Amino acid sequence: MKHFYLLLASCLLLACSQRPAETSTDENEAQLQAQRFLSEYTSQYKSLYYASAQAEWAANTRIVPGDTTNAWQVQQANEALARFTGSQENIEAAQTLLENRAELLPLQVKQLEVILYNAANNPATVEALVSERIKAEAAQTQLLFGYDFKVDNRSVSTNDIDNILKGTMNLDSRLNAWTASKEVGRDLRQGLLNLRRLRNETVQALGYDNYFAYQVSDYGMTTQEMMELNRQLIRDIWPLYRELHTYARYELASRYGQQEVPDMLPAHWLPNRWGQDWSPMVNVEGLDLGPVLEQKGPEWIMQQAERFYVSLGFNPLPQSFWERSSLYPAPADAPYKKTTMPRPGIWTWSRMYAACKV
């Protein structure tokens, strides 16, 4: 998720540089040079990012067992983007321009810093390592999103698993469903360990201790400061969480007919396979949006979201969004399937928009 926010921030910041370089008599030579570089960089970045978005979207919406074509296309597109963002030429140009940061516009400074931050994840000085990391990321994505989840030896979707955890009272069925949702971890483990190594070694080439330190630096913090902030947040919310946790233990024990209230909440008792959403535990009488939304259809929900951001001054979605979007499950007899793992909402729709835009 953090990876997406970085790319989104990059696109937004760099998009701001799309203006003629010599439009203001107040601009000094340093600003003009910076603007020329930023405009050229942005043009190439947008083109390469668009190709990357298309490749990744295809890899998520058309999964053919045994076919590695999509993974190869993702690797090729992401390597092209990495070669550009991590090129020594771009790094040196940004560093040189920042030597005169006092003469640059604040926005230009931010844009150049984003360029260097992106470069640190794909430095040309370790091009072979970056290529290996991108290949490993593509392989993990294909493995995760193409995984065949099974409950009682029957293939199921993650929606099926979610529905069991939201509505089934039988604890054995719940445990089977929850366990099935975690089985993919066995297949992912070795690849994740390798990916951790590759990500650490990639950013270490530009002086970061590890990939965590690299990402934390985007917040202007050290790893120690970030960890202390998280500990403080936990300390702050602990009294409230303790009360909610106690309520949940007693409420769920009663709901499932358990005489003994456990000290820790069994994960399969919760209505969410990650234990992150407890809202289905509460049933508000008279409030059921399901039947209403079913009558509207998936297009209506997206249209309401579109109306909201258009009201903020953004342009309507292009027609290609509606033609290429993945709003529906694959047909039952389709020779392919779509991702079995839902993405965080903002990643899904923003990545979809990037891949579908004209």
Side-chain angles (χ1 to χ4, degrees):
M1 190 61 180
K2 177 64 163 57
H3 175 64
F4 164 71
Y5 285 125
L6 168 61
L7 290 175
L8 179 60
S10 302
C11 290
L12 291 175
L13 277 174
L14 295 173
C16 295
S17 68
Q18 293 296 290
R19 61 181 180 83
E22 296 82 12
T23 57
S24 171
T25 57
D26 295 332
E27 290 179 312
N28 58 39
E29 183 58 29
Q31 292 174 12
L32 292 173
Q33 289 181 359
Q35 197 57 51
R36 280 193 289 268
F37 169 72
L38 289 168
S39 295
E40 293 174 3
Y41 182 99
T42 300
S43 177
Q44 294 185 61
Y45 181 88
K46 288 170 63 178
S47 176
L48 292 167
Y49 180 73
Y50 177 47
S52 170
Q54 283 190 309
E56 291 207 13
W57 192 248
N60 279 271
T61 57
R62 192 175 183 85
I63 302 170
V64 180
D67 186 350
T68 60
T69 302
N70 280 339
W72 182 84
Q73 290 175 339
V74 168
Q75 181 182 344
Q76 294 300 303
N78 287 347
E79 284 185 356
L81 180 60
R83 281 193 298 271
F84 174 72
T85 57
S87 74
Q88 194 65 31
E89 179 183 0
N90 284 330
I91 293 174
E92 292 176 354
Q95 289 174 333
T96 299
L97 290 167
L98 282 172
E99 290 176 359
N100 299 313
R101 67 172 59 225
E103 300 179 36
L104 301 178
L105 298 173
L107 179 58
Q108 291 176 327
V109 172
K110 290 181 179 179
Q111 291 169 334
L112 292 169
E113 288 175 343
V114 166
I115 287 172
L116 290 178
Y117 183 80
N118 287 344
N121 195 37
N122 305 302
T125 52
V126 287
E127 184 175 353
L129 190 63
V130 172
S131 179
E132 185 181 357
R133 189 207 72 216
I134 291 173
K135 182 178 180 180
E137 288 172 340
Q140 287 295 101
T141 297
Q142 184 180 36
L143 188 60
L144 173 62
F145 296 145
Y147 187 77
D148 184 20
F149 291 91
K150 291 187 177 182
V151 175
D152 297 329
N153 294 320
R154 180 175 62 87
S155 294
V156 296
S157 69
T158 50
N159 284 337
D160 294 329
I161 293 175
D162 290 341
N163 289 334
I164 292 173
L165 294 177
K166 288 178 182 177
T168 300
M169 299 300 294
N170 184 288
L171 287 179
D172 289 336
S173 296
R174 297 182 66 87
L175 180 58
N176 286 342
W178 183 87
T179 301
S181 75
K182 307 304 173 188
E183 289 298 325
V184 64
R186 299 179 188 274
D187 292 358
L188 292 174
R189 185 176 187 278
Q190 286 304 122
L192 287 173
L193 292 174
N194 181 51
L195 194 52
R196 179 184 64 182
R197 175 185 65 82
L198 292 170
R199 285 177 171 171
N200 285 339
E201 292 180 3
T202 297
V203 298
Q204 284 167 353
L206 263 70
Y208 292 93
D209 290 338
N210 49 51
Y211 193 71
F212 180 56
Y214 164 70
Q215 291 206 307
V216 168
S217 71
D218 194 31
Y219 297 94
M221 304 172 71
T222 65
T223 55
Q224 182 177 353
E225 290 170 336
M226 176 61 78
M227 294 305 296
E228 179 52 36
L229 174 62
N230 279 275
R231 294 188 187 100
Q232 184 60 49
L233 289 172
I234 292 174
R235 286 193 292 268
D236 290 343
I237 68 171
W238 185 254
L240 173 61
Y241 178 78
R242 182 176 56 192
E243 295 298 319
L244 290 174
H245 189 273
T246 301
Y247 162 77
R249 288 188 292 117
Y250 279 84
E251 172 67 21
L252 291 176
S254 174
R255 182 176 300 185
Y256 297 129
Q258 302 299 301
Q259 297 298 318
E260 184 176 347
V261 179
D263 293 332
M264 304 293 289
L265 270 172
H268 66 289
W269 283 22
L270 295 169
N272 175 281
R273 56 195 141 111
W274 297 289
Q276 65 188 163
D277 179 14
W278 297 5
S279 58
M281 286 175 48
V282 180
N283 181 32
V284 180
E285 294 293 335
L287 180 62
D288 185 5
L289 296 178
V292 177
L293 294 178
E294 286 177 2
Q295 295 177 12
K296 299 291 186 180
E299 296 93 344
W300 182 87
I301 296 175
M302 283 303 303
Q303 288 164 354
Q304 305 318 301
E306 180 185 29
R307 286 179 59 194
F308 170 70
Y309 70 75
V310 167
S311 72
L312 299 178
F314 292 95
N315 293 327
L317 290 166
Q319 181 59 33
S320 56
F321 175 88
W322 303 102
E323 295 170 351
R324 304 178 191 175
S325 294
S326 182
L327 296 176
Y328 313 97
D333 58 349
Y336 65 92
K337 61 180 180 178
K338 298 184 178 183
T339 173
T340 57
M341 295 291 288
R343 288 278 198 165
I346 188 171
W347 191 99
T348 303
W349 298 117
S350 300
R351 196 66 168 173
M352 181 192 293
Y353 177 75
C356 296
K357 70 183 181 67
V358 176

